[in-house]
Amino acid sequence: MTPTLVRRQRPSPSPPRSRARDWAEIQERMLVPLYEAVHERLEVGTATRLLSLGCGSGLALLMAAARGARVCGIDTDERRLDLARERLAAHPAAATARLGTAPEDVTGPGDPPFTLVTAFDPLYCADGTAHDMAAALARAAARARRGAPVVLAGWGPPERCAASGALRVAARLADPMSTAAHWRPNGRDDLEDLARLAGLRPDGSGRVACPYGYADLASAVRGLLSTGAFDAAARTTDQEQVSKELTEAVHPYLRGDGTVWMPNVFRYLIARVM
């Protein structure tokens, strides 16, 4: 891709206030195959009381509620939570959903324990460390019944994830001295190690194809920026530079009809509360 072509096709970055809506309208749906595979495997239904860590704008919660589950979700992004509240309030099946920024916000004395905990977003707690994520999982697991499944998700092999190149841009541009976690491919045992660090017992895993499909190049860049994976890079350099290099990384997946198609594989781990 020539520099001239990059300048002509590079989309303008979304302002911060619209980033959460870009996530809700463009990016979050890319993980639907993952949500569906886990819900089906764990037989999510009327007997399920679900806590979602990093629930985003609530799509996975809505899907679980549609299967009869009682759902609660937490996220550190208040703008995403506001969109989740709008989305869930519009559907009778999710009318009793509870949302907040910590497990304490969605639980109270006398509440029954959760029967399922999920952490679908592989970038959840990306501003922290594995120990931070393990601590968050342990706090959630303390509110789940013994033996309840806790589902963690992460990237599959980098050679099977077209988004790897784009995420390497984020890692390369970010300040290497920053405490923010930089993207890297998941190691074979990363999810298992995280589960054990949180005091959980690994008990099965699976892989799911989650292709990233976008209407055009501008949508692809907006969707990827909405993940938060590029925030540290933008702070270190500037948003224009990040958008430029992200556009270059995505351009090989631009198809003749103007759409963008990026095949990816995600891995999930089922762990158990001990």
Side-chain angles (χ1 to χ4, degrees):
M1 186 174 187
T2 66
T4 300
L5 189 56
V6 171
R7 284 196 295 271
R8 287 177 180 172
Q9 295 197 10
R10 184 171 70 250
S12 299
S14 300
R17 64 180 178 274
S18 67
R19 196 66 57 79
R21 192 162 294 279
D22 284 344
W23 170 263
E25 296 178 354
I26 300 174
Q27 193 65 30
E28 190 174 24
R29 61 185 173 82
M30 307 301 175
L31 297 180
V32 164
L34 173 63
Y35 304 156
E36 289 179 334
V38 170
H39 291 169
E40 185 69 23
R41 179 165 175 174
L42 294 178
E43 299 181 339
V44 170
T46 56
T48 304
R49 186 165 187 264
L50 167 66
L51 174 62
S52 172
L53 306 183
C55 67
S57 50
L59 181 56
L61 291 176
L62 181 59
M63 293 171 62
R67 298 172 68 100
R70 292 162 292 164
V71 299
C72 299
I74 63 174
D75 202 289
T76 57
D77 189 326
E78 288 282 6
R79 289 168 298 186
R80 289 189 184 185
L81 282 177
D82 287 342
L83 292 173
R85 292 185 181 99
E86 291 178 17
R87 172 180 272 162
L88 296 171
H91 293 271
T96 61
R98 299 182 192 172
L99 300 173
T101 58
E104 296 79 10
D105 297 336
V106 298
T107 56
D111 284 344
F114 292 105
T115 63
L116 171 61
V117 177
T118 61
F120 283 131
D121 184 355
L123 295 172
Y124 178 66
C125 287
D127 286 337
T129 65
H131 286 276
D132 295 326
M133 184 61 188
L137 288 169
R139 288 195 299 273
R143 291 167 169 78
R145 72 182 184 188
R146 185 174 182 179
V150 178
V151 179
L152 315 179
W155 296 98
E159 66 274 10
R160 297 189 63 188
C161 293
S164 295
L167 293 167
R168 287 193 183 96
V169 168
R172 178 169 53 79
L173 293 178
D175 181 359
M177 300 303 293
S178 171
T179 58
H182 302 315
W183 181 86
R184 65 179 179 83
N186 282 114
R188 186 185 66 177
D189 299 323
D190 281 4
L191 295 179
E192 284 82 354
D193 291 344
L194 178 59
R196 293 188 180 97
L197 189 61
L200 305 171
R201 174 175 57 84
D203 186 35
S205 63
R207 289 186 179 184
V208 184
C210 291
Y212 286 5
Y214 305 97
D216 50 40
L217 191 61
S219 295
V221 173
R222 286 171 56 201
L224 289 166
L225 288 175
S226 76
T227 64
F230 300 85
D231 290 356
R235 290 192 297 267
T236 301
T237 56
D238 59 70
Q239 190 65 66
E240 183 177 0
Q241 179 68 18
V242 172
S243 295
K244 172 183 177 294
E245 297 206 26
L246 179 55
T247 302
E248 292 174 339
V250 172
H251 190 265
Y253 304 99
L254 181 65
R255 303 195 292 190
D257 61 358
T259 61
V260 174
W261 188 255
M262 305 175 72
N264 298 293
V265 170
F266 282 77
R267 180 172 182 261
Y268 67 87
L269 173 74
I270 299 171
R272 299 282 174 176
V273 176
M274 294 192 294

